């Protein structure tokens, strides 16, 4: 057996044993115990965890590759460092005739002082499961580190194809690092041992243990989560960048634009009115009315801009009439009118006689006294100053830009 350990054998520990096992991997779980696990790393630097990798060798045998690990015993027993300097082969028993089973491959330390086994050594072992219609993996024995679960179907053997390795292996390996090291997470995410501990998750998120949960590192320092990491939020008010460049804020239930707006709507379809009171529908315009809805910001203010290309056309047989076209807006919140349309706040185009020249007019105003978080609607309104004059409106637009 190639698996080497330190401070287990009553006699015979070699200097080589001791050197191989000076690994310093002690990811704490409490003041006196550490997490059992495997030292991370790979030969080419491409993988987090290559130690004790297992692959098939034959129909019923597998190869466990070299690696180093620590196995924590009970509180009084301490931690056992182990090293496998060369790969090891393990062989599985043939499948049960009727039911499948799940075997557990472990690194196991035998310590006669605690288990009465009359053995003081470390081994790579298979803990054989119980055949069952719904098989479960056996429990890991004391002072052992699970590596893989292996499903052994009913009836398999070396003579009939053996274990289907592509679908039978479940990787249970977890890494450990020295105190203060950043843990590369593989397998289950376990609680931290102290505030200020760091880990790097499988999806590339850097996290800090805050004493009760793992918090994404940008959240811990109040920064903006980069677009390249997880979309998981840690608290209401957290910000993140998106791949499209938009800054978003976590509302407590969803990501939304951090600075919504500007809100915009327009119509390039011309229409007219002969009404001398404000209307929201224009004759010959296909879609009416023209509206924009927006959410009021915390500042309670927004900049409102609206306008149109306007033209005044006299009725047939009518001459010499001075007239004006008015475009205004009505601002509502639900069924409540926040600001009524009025001439003083309208965009206006006027002519003094018969010419039918077109005019482009717009105006910019400030909306104030808004209630933060509520949705308001701005509706375009139109009128003419004379029933004998058609006031035409084209290229009409409304824009609302919340103030932050």
């Amino acid at each position: 057996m190639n698996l080497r350990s330190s401070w287990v054998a009553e006699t015979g520990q070699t200097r080589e044993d001791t050197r191989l096992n000076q690994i310093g991997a002690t990811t704490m779980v409490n003041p006196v115990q550490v997490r059992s696990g495997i030292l991370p790393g790979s030969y080419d630097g491409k993988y987090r965890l290559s130690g004790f990798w297992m692959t098939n060798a034959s129909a019923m045998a597998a190869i466990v590759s070299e690696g180093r690990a620590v196995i924590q015993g009970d509180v009084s027993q301490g931690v056992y460092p182990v090293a496998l300097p060369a790969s090891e082969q393990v062989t599985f028993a043939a499948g049960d005739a009727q039911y499948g089973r799940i075997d557990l491959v472990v690194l196991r330390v035998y310590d006669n002082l605690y288990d009465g086994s009359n053995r003081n050594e470390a081994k790579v072992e298979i803990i054989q499961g119980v055949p069952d219609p719904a098989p479960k993996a056996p429990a890991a024995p004391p002072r052992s580190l699970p590596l893989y679960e292996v499903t052994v179907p009913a009836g398999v053997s070396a003579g009939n194809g053996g274990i289907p390795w592509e679908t039978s292996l479940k990787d249970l390996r977890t890494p450990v690092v020295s105190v203060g090291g950043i843990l590369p997470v593989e397998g289950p995410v376990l609680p931290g041992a102290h505030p200020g501990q760091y880990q790097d998750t499988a999806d590339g998120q850097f996290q800090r243990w805050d004493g009760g949960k793992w918090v994404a590192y940008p959240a811990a320092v109040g920064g903006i989560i980069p677009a390249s990491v997880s979309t998981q939020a840690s608290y209401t008010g957290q910000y993140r960048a998106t791949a499209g460049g938009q800054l978003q804020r976590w509302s407590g239930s969803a990501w939304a634009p951090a600075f919504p707006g500007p809100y915009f709507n327009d119509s390039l379809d011309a229409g007219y009115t002969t009404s001398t009171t404000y209307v929201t529908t224009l004759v010959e315009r296909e879609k009416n009315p023209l509206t924009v809805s927006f959410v009021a910001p915390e500042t309670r203010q927004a900049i409102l801009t609206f306008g149109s290309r306007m033209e005044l056309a006299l009725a047939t047989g009518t001459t010499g009439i001075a007239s004006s076209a008015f475009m205004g807006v009505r601002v509502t919140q639900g069924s409540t009118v926040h600001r009524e349309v009025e001439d003083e706040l309208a965009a206006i185009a006027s002519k003094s006689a018969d010419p039918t020249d077109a005019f482009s007019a717009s105006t910019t105003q400030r909306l104030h006294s808004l209630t933060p978080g509520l949705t308001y609607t701005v509706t375009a309104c139109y009128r003419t100053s004379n029933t004998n004059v058609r006031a035409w409106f084209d290229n009409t637009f409304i824009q609302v830009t919340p103030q932050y």
Side-chain angles (χ1 to χ4, degrees):
M1 177 60 67
N2 290 321
L3 190 63
R4 313 283 280 271
S5 63
S6 295
W7 318 121
V8 176
E10 294 178 343
T11 62
Q13 178 173 318
T14 68
R15 288 176 295 174
E16 188 179 59
D17 290 333
T18 305
R19 287 195 303 271
L20 281 170
N21 289 291
Q22 297 309 303
I23 53 182
T26 52
T27 299
M28 304 301 294
V29 294
N30 58 46
V32 294
Q33 290 180 295
V34 302
R35 183 184 302 182
S36 296
I38 300 166
L39 271 69
S42 60
Y43 287 108
D44 55 12
K46 292 182 179 179
Y47 305 100
R48 292 171 180 260
L49 194 61
S50 291
F52 301 101
W53 173 266
M54 193 170 77
T55 187
N56 65 297
S58 64
M60 298 300 293
I63 294 292
V64 179
S65 65
E66 60 273 20
R68 296 194 293 174
V70 291
I71 301 172
Q72 174 67 54
D74 290 340
V75 173
S76 62
Q77 296 173 10
V79 61
Y80 299 84
V82 298
L84 186 65
S87 60
E88 185 80 25
Q89 180 169 303
V90 291
T91 301
F92 295 82
D96 179 72
Q98 186 175 7
Y99 299 122
R101 71 173 192 271
I102 298 175
D103 292 351
L104 188 66
V105 180
V106 300
L107 303 180
R108 184 173 184 179
V109 172
Y110 287 90
D111 189 340
N112 182 60
L113 181 64
Y114 299 108
D115 57 27
S117 62
N118 292 320
R119 302 170 66 181
N120 293 290
E121 60 179 334
K123 301 198 43 102
V124 180
E125 278 194 353
I126 298 172
I127 309 300
Q128 188 168 304
V130 177
D132 192 87
K136 296 181 179 179
R143 292 171 301 283
S144 67
L145 175 65
L147 299 179
Y148 284 87
E149 289 181 3
V150 180
T151 299
V152 181
V156 299
S157 66
N160 65 0
I163 296 170
W165 296 104
E166 292 294 327
T167 57
S168 287
L169 296 184
K170 181 179 179 181
D171 192 348
L172 303 178
R173 298 171 305 147
T174 57
V176 292
V177 292
S178 60
V179 172
I182 296 171
L183 182 70
V185 177
E186 288 289 323
V189 177
L190 302 177
H194 60 84
Q197 184 177 355
Y198 289 94
Q199 68 176 17
D200 185 69
T201 67
D203 61 4
Q205 188 181 69
F206 192 38
Q207 294 181 333
R208 178 183 183 274
W209 181 255
D210 71 355
K213 63 181 181 300
W214 290 107
V215 178
Y217 185 70
V221 297
I224 296 170
I225 299 177
S228 60
V229 304
S230 171
T231 58
Q232 179 181 355
S234 299
Y235 59 87
T236 300
Q238 185 175 9
Y239 290 92
R240 74 168 183 180
T242 64
Q246 184 186 56
L247 186 65
Q248 294 183 331
R249 179 181 182 276
W250 180 252
S251 69
S253 59
W255 289 105
F259 303 101
Y263 302 84
F264 183 86
N265 196 10
D266 66 347
S267 174
L268 304 181
D269 186 21
Y272 74 89
T273 184
T274 56
S275 173
T276 56
T277 59
Y278 281 103
V279 294
T280 60
T281 300
L282 293 176
V283 180
E284 296 190 14
R285 176 174 283 179
E286 183 177 349
K287 294 182 179 179
N288 290 287
L290 178 67
T291 64
V292 167
S293 293
F294 69 96
V295 178
E298 293 296 326
T299 61
R300 304 166 59 89
Q301 300 181 74
I303 300 300
L304 168 66
T305 301
F306 59 91
S308 181
R309 181 178 182 272
M310 306 179 203
E311 185 175 339
L312 293 154
L314 301 180
T316 303
T318 304
T319 60
I321 299 176
S323 57
S324 299
F326 297 80
M327 177 188 174
V329 295
R330 178 180 291 113
V331 182
T332 56
Q333 197 288 301
S335 59
T336 303
V337 176
H338 178 76
R339 198 185 84 175
E340 186 57 273
V341 59
E342 54 180 294
D343 290 349
E344 184 179 356
L345 300 174
I348 304 173
S350 301
K351 73 182 184 88
S352 58
D354 295 344
T356 57
D357 295 334
F359 308 86
S360 289
S362 65
T363 182
T364 298
Q365 302 157 11
R366 184 184 299 276
L367 295 177
H368 55 83
S369 302
L370 304 170
T371 301
L374 295 186
T375 298
Y376 290 78
T377 300
V378 181
T379 304
C381 302
Y382 319 89
R383 81 174 187 88
T384 182
S385 61
N386 192 299
T387 56
N388 290 318
V389 179
R390 288 183 177 181
W392 284 86
F393 300 86
D394 196 3
N395 302 344
T396 309
F397 74 92
I398 306 172
Q399 177 173 306
V400 179
T401 304
Q403 296 297 98
Y404 295 100

